Amino acid sequence: MIHAAIQSAIKELKILSRDRIGLAFLFLLPAVFMFVMTMALQGVLGEGSSEKAGLLFAAEKGDVLAGRISEGLGGLGWIRVDCPDGADRSAAHEAVARGTYQLAVYVPPGAWADMAGKILSPGRPVRLEVIADPALPPQITEAVRGTVQMQAQRALISAAAPKMASLFAPASSGAAAAGIARAIEEKLSSSAVSVEAVPPENLKLVRKPNSAEQNVPAYTVLGIYFIAIVIAAGISQEKRSGTYKRIAVSAAPANLVVTARIVPFFAVNLLQAALMFGVGTFLIPLAGGPPFSPGASPAGLAAVTACASMSAMGFGVLVSSFGLSTDGTTVFTAVVLVIMAALAGVMVPSFVMPSAMVAVGRLTPQSWALEAYLDLIVRGRGIADVIPNCGILLAFAAVFYAAGAVGLARESR
């Protein structure tokens, strides 16, 4: 029995060694994925990285409070504070709405003098704004808002120190000093400054999106493209068994046969996306998670899902034409799809990725599908806003399918 087991293991090693392409991908692609993820996260987890996420800082030049906040934001390490001349509140909101920046901070003119004058006198607090793209993970927005709040509080204490010194006269009795201290504490705790995280004004959001409305679109995109693994492996298996060649030499056109082969997977993808949205809408809240709203445009969701599905199926046909073994095709497709998803911002927010990786990510269909979903679900937009994304997804589908069909036709000769 031991001899049989040894011989079986030797047989498997021989089979594996003959599939050199599949074996190379088995080792190479995970290493590539590790490299991609490490580079993508260097802006957040790395120290001294030159690649930083841009933040628009709209404030009056020379304002002490603005200077403190800008210095604090720069100290985060992964934020690049851009202070263009003449940037005001409307410019900050418009920049985030257009997508030029995903984060902006607005400090109103005269904020320092206004805040310092309200330390020991009642009045409305100075209002600072952190304008954030709703598609940003809340952890990022909160990190920026918390930094602005902390720097404002430090500036508040700095401004209060001289007044506190003058109030605590040496001649004051212990009881009087304690009373004055309580009064100052109450005034400071009432806050002369408030920091609010808000979306761009012209997005007209009903409420701030939660984590479910940010994660469900991302992982729906990831799931849709996994259909390419099944398609590529299925066609590869048919080629190895000789089934595909017999079909190719029949009277039916090869392209028509391939198209008919993948049509059922289109329906599977639509059902898969419906399941993902259903889990987000019903199961996650039932389990105690945040509520999920798929947006106000079902037609837009259907259009994006259909176009993303077609590009995913086209990619499966393309990979099936590479001449890999069935196992090699499965490994290759799975790892490449995960790498593409990482570059597209599915796993790591593109906000914290190096600009070169963001540019590369725009070459993946997942990036366009994810942005379209976020526009509909998170940013509150409609089907007209995602038509360009749908067009690009269809272009990906056409290129993938055409290249794959040409490759399969050559193999069948």
Side-chain angles (χ1 to χ4, degrees), residues 38-188:
T38 301
M39 296 300 293
L41 286 169
Q42 69 171 339
V44 178
L45 303 179
E47 294 184 3
S49 173
S50 60
E51 288 284 355
K52 298 181 180 181
L55 178 146
L56 176 64
F57 194 76
E60 187 178 50
K61 298 294 183 181
D63 186 270
V64 176
L65 177 60
R68 289 280 189 92
I69 293 173
S70 177
E71 182 181 350
L73 290 171
L76 289 176
W78 49 273
I79 288 287
R80 184 190 73 249
V81 182
D82 296 338
C83 307
D85 292 333
D88 56 10
R89 184 176 181 274
S90 61
H93 278 264
E94 183 62 24
V96 177
R98 287 198 315 265
T100 308
Y101 289 88
Q102 288 189 280
L103 272 172
V105 172
Y106 170 67
V107 180
W112 173 251
D114 193 13
M115 186 185 75
K118 293 177 179 178
I119 292 174
L120 297 178
S121 61
R124 294 181 61 183
V126 177
R127 184 174 185 267
L128 312 181
E129 289 185 355
V130 175
I131 303 114
D133 185 337
L136 276 179
Q139 298 91 335
I140 292 176
T141 304
E142 186 55 32
V144 172
R145 195 204 68 81
T147 300
V148 174
Q149 181 76 51
M150 180 180 66
Q151 294 300 322
Q153 287 175 344
R154 286 180 176 177
L156 184 68
I157 293 172
S158 174
K163 296 185 179 182
M164 293 173 67
S166 65
L167 288 172
F168 284 106
S172 299
S173 65
I180 294 173
R182 285 194 300 271
I184 293 176
E185 183 179 353
E186 290 174 2
K187 292 295 183 182
L188 290 177

Side-chain angles (χ1 to χ4, degrees), residues 151-301:
Q151 294 300 322
Q153 287 175 344
R154 286 180 176 177
L156 184 68
I157 293 172
S158 174
K163 296 185 179 182
M164 293 173 67
S166 65
L167 288 172
F168 284 106
S172 299
S173 65
I180 294 173
R182 285 194 300 271
I184 293 176
E185 183 179 353
E186 290 174 2
K187 292 295 183 182
L188 290 177
S189 63
S190 66
S191 183
V193 61
S194 68
V195 182
E196 297 184 30
V198 298
E201 288 183 336
N202 55 356
L203 285 185
K204 307 297 183 186
L205 293 178
V206 176
R207 58 183 173 80
K208 183 180 178 181
N210 56 46
S211 60
E213 288 161 342
Q214 291 166 331
N215 288 325
V216 170
Y219 291 102
T220 299
V221 168
L222 186 67
I224 285 174
Y225 282 87
F226 276 172
I227 203 73
I229 301 173
V230 183
I231 292 173
I235 296 177
S236 177
Q237 180 62 38
E238 286 185 351
K239 289 193 298 180
R240 289 180 64 84
S241 66
T243 303
Y244 184 80
K245 182 165 287 189
R246 290 195 296 271
I247 294 173
V249 298
S250 67
N255 290 346
L256 181 62
V257 172
V258 174
T259 303
R261 172 82 168 73
I262 65 176
V263 163
F265 294 104
F266 181 73
V268 170
N269 254 166
L270 296 182
L271 290 174
Q272 180 189 38
L275 174 64
M276 296 289 282
F277 291 135
V279 169
T281 303
F282 301 107
L283 186 58
I284 290 178
L286 187 64
F292 171 77
S293 172
S297 179
L301 287 180

